[in-house]
Amino acid sequence: MAEEVRHPFLHGLSKHRGAPPTVVVIFGASGDLTARKLIPAIYNLAHDGLLPADFHLIGFGRKAIPDAEFQQIAAAAIKEFSRREPSPEVWARLAERTLYVSGGYDEKAAFDRLGARIAGLEKDSGQPLQSLFYVSTPPSVFAPILQNLGASGLAARYAGQLNQSKVIIEKPFGKDLASAQALNRELTKVFAEAQVYRIDHYLGKETVQDLLVQRFANSIFEPLWNRNFIDHVQITVAEQVGVEARAGYYEQSGCLRDMIQNHTMQLLALTAMEPPVSMDAESVRDEKVKVLKAIQPLRLDGADCDVARAQYAEGVIGGKPVKGYLQELDVSPTSATETFAALRLSINNWRWQGVPFYLRSGKHLARRVSEIAVRFKRAPGSLFADSDRSILAANTLAFQIQPDEGLSLVLNAKIPGLETRTQPVKMNFKYATTFGSNTPEAYERLVLDAMIGDGTLFIRGDETERSWQLCSPVLAHWAAQGRTGLDSYASGAWGPKSAEALLAANGHSWREP
Ligand code: NDP
Ligand code: BG6
């Protein structure tokens, strides 16, 4: 009985939030993302009873893989990457619903075979199935997949109904404004916008969702959340890893495309947007687009330059010497690809005019940490300065996105004693302490939301285009400059001098997260 409650998927029950009977089809199912994130996410949804009772998974790829072999591949991926120990019972039920279809992404006949397989599942279960197509291939094959989903009629299945087909599309969504617009056109030739789920896995992170709760479920923040009280905002997405084995991709991408245009811009939009009228997808995304539209074009050179870029040089990480970017495998010795980027953004609206938003991201930095730090204006310190000449710290509210997820607030407190001396103190809230540490992975939430039809945590077409509109001129400028103006930083440091200069120009400095 207890088992029935823990694993409702096993018994044909579901606590799911309304997903109709579904078949998830993963294109690129033999790939790294499928093994590390997607299959473990689907397994954990099954484990939690969040999949519809009538659920099926189909892998799709070029190599001929029998169903049984794909089931073994999936089992191995779950064993290695699931956040939880797999339960044999839950996996057995999922395994019998896990199939594989092989064929080329540009081969219409393969999509017809896929359609026939889905029709067979529907016949067996006696009801229509929603098809959720997850495009998890390199971007070079996004377009042929979309075209064949259109040509085979799979994209238009049950159009306008609860179980209509949907598509999740992986990043990178374009490499500049023109290619993002072209991809949006490919998508909207075959899918309505309501069927499209552009993924940014940062939106699936628990702490990123909590940012909205903290902002809009607590009345103390909103009155202060503006240019009258906030001095500036720093958004840091720092990685300690280097390019690893991904130079093939990264050499074409660089930090601005890989991290800033999507993940950090999303963090900025959620921090700076106006309160939406409701939490439905369109209301939230309308507000994000509005604030992205208010960001001023970046100044690309001269004394007012708003951007900095750099490459990691040799250095020390975790006590060990590490290579510089140019020495990494498959990196051109003359590469101008930036592994670090920082931007100073101005939002020209009523709420934020005059409040700089600083964004930075990079690889081979001092440690892995992502945070949004909201720095408030200093209190006038004269009352206490007489007694101890101390300088009061500026209050800082920091949302720690990862790791060690939490929220902290720096306040000034009186040091106990007969004199009135102050010291900054930190109030800390840690998720793990309050809620335990086994939180769902981003992809669990995102796959479930797409099944349910909730696009709140996905990027709308106009949103991605607006973000590219800001970043594309920067990329074009950097491409024209080549290595001229490309700064460097020692691996294991917090970034280059040019990033410090961006803030110093306003009398600010990066905080150490
Ligand atoms: P892979 O490079 O592992 O490719 C996935 C699958 O696509 C391969 O197994 C292969 O399947 C097929 N494929 C690969 N190259 C080609 C090609 N040139 N032409 C046609 N098919 C090809 O990608 P990932 O799994 O790492 O990533 C998938 C998507 O997710 C990408 O868009 C990536 O940017 C994005 N992503 C990945 C992350 C990760 O951690 N891996 C993180 C964030 C986003 P087969 O040969 O069986 O057809
Ligand atoms: C991906 C980037 O989108 O995000 C990677 O392509 C990066 O380069 C990764 O390492 C970081 O994600 P996370 O969730 O580990 O912070």
Short mmCIF file of all heavy atoms in Angstrom, two decimals, residues 316-317 364-367 489-495:
data_model
loop_
_atom_site.label_atom_id
_atom_site.label_comp_id
_atom_site.label_asym_id
_atom_site.label_seq_id
_atom_site.Cartn_x
_atom_site.Cartn_y
_atom_site.Cartn_z
N VAL A 316 45.89 28.33 -11.77
CA VAL A 316 45.77 27.24 -10.80
C VAL A 316 44.31 27.15 -10.36
O VAL A 316 43.70 28.15 -9.98
CB VAL A 316 46.67 27.52 -9.56
CG1 VAL A 316 46.49 26.43 -8.51
CG2 VAL A 316 48.13 27.61 -9.99
N ILE A 317 43.77 25.93 -10.45
CA ILE A 317 42.39 25.72 -9.98
C ILE A 317 42.40 24.50 -9.06
O ILE A 317 42.93 23.45 -9.43
CB ILE A 317 41.43 25.53 -11.17
CG1 ILE A 317 41.28 26.85 -11.91
CG2 ILE A 317 40.06 25.02 -10.71
CD1 ILE A 317 40.25 26.88 -13.01
N HIS A 364 36.68 28.73 -16.05
CA HIS A 364 37.96 28.73 -15.32
C HIS A 364 38.04 29.91 -14.36
O HIS A 364 39.09 30.55 -14.24
CB HIS A 364 39.16 28.74 -16.29
CG HIS A 364 39.70 27.37 -16.56
ND1 HIS A 364 40.92 27.15 -17.14
CD2 HIS A 364 39.19 26.15 -16.32
CE1 HIS A 364 41.13 25.86 -17.26
NE2 HIS A 364 40.09 25.22 -16.78
N LEU A 365 36.94 30.21 -13.68
CA LEU A 365 36.97 31.27 -12.68
C LEU A 365 37.24 30.64 -11.30
O LEU A 365 37.38 29.42 -11.18
CB LEU A 365 35.66 32.06 -12.69
CG LEU A 365 35.40 32.84 -13.99
CD1 LEU A 365 34.08 33.59 -13.92
CD2 LEU A 365 36.53 33.84 -14.30
N ALA A 366 37.32 31.48 -10.29
CA ALA A 366 37.77 31.03 -8.97
C ALA A 366 36.93 29.88 -8.42
O ALA A 366 37.44 28.94 -7.84
CB ALA A 366 37.76 32.21 -8.01
N ARG A 367 35.60 29.99 -8.58
CA ARG A 367 34.75 28.87 -8.17
C ARG A 367 33.43 28.91 -8.90
O ARG A 367 33.11 29.90 -9.56
CB ARG A 367 34.58 28.81 -6.65
CG ARG A 367 33.81 29.91 -6.04
CD ARG A 367 33.93 29.84 -4.51
NE ARG A 367 33.15 30.91 -3.93
CZ ARG A 367 31.85 30.81 -3.65
NH1 ARG A 367 31.21 29.67 -3.85
NH2 ARG A 367 31.20 31.84 -3.15
N TYR A 489 42.81 36.54 -18.43
CA TYR A 489 42.82 36.42 -16.97
C TYR A 489 43.43 35.07 -16.62
O TYR A 489 43.34 34.11 -17.40
CB TYR A 489 41.40 36.54 -16.38
CG TYR A 489 40.38 35.55 -16.93
CD1 TYR A 489 40.01 34.40 -16.22
CD2 TYR A 489 39.79 35.75 -18.18
CE1 TYR A 489 39.08 33.50 -16.73
CE2 TYR A 489 38.86 34.86 -18.69
CZ TYR A 489 38.52 33.73 -17.97
OH TYR A 489 37.60 32.84 -18.48
N ALA A 490 44.07 35.05 -15.47
CA ALA A 490 44.66 33.79 -15.02
C ALA A 490 43.54 32.84 -14.64
O ALA A 490 42.59 33.24 -13.97
CB ALA A 490 45.57 34.04 -13.83
N SER A 491 43.63 31.60 -15.08
CA SER A 491 42.65 30.60 -14.64
C SER A 491 42.64 30.58 -13.11
O SER A 491 43.70 30.62 -12.48
CB SER A 491 43.04 29.22 -15.16
OG SER A 491 42.86 29.16 -16.54
N GLY A 492 41.44 30.52 -12.54
CA GLY A 492 41.34 30.50 -11.08
C GLY A 492 41.14 31.88 -10.47
O GLY A 492 40.89 32.01 -9.28
N ALA A 493 41.22 32.93 -11.32
CA ALA A 493 40.95 34.29 -10.82
C ALA A 493 39.46 34.59 -11.02
O ALA A 493 38.71 33.76 -11.50
CB ALA A 493 41.81 35.28 -11.58
N TRP A 494 39.06 35.82 -10.69
CA TRP A 494 37.64 36.18 -10.85
C TRP A 494 37.36 36.86 -12.18
O TRP A 494 36.25 37.32 -12.41
CB TRP A 494 37.17 37.05 -9.69
CG TRP A 494 36.76 36.23 -8.50
CD1 TRP A 494 37.41 36.13 -7.32
CD2 TRP A 494 35.63 35.36 -8.42
NE1 TRP A 494 36.76 35.25 -6.48
CE2 TRP A 494 35.65 34.76 -7.13
CE3 TRP A 494 34.59 35.00 -9.29
CZ2 TRP A 494 34.70 33.84 -6.70
CZ3 TRP A 494 33.63 34.08 -8.85
CH2 TRP A 494 33.69 33.52 -7.58
N GLY A 495 38.37 36.95 -13.05
CA GLY A 495 38.13 37.57 -14.36
C GLY A 495 39.20 38.60 -14.67
O GLY A 495 40.16 38.75 -13.91
#
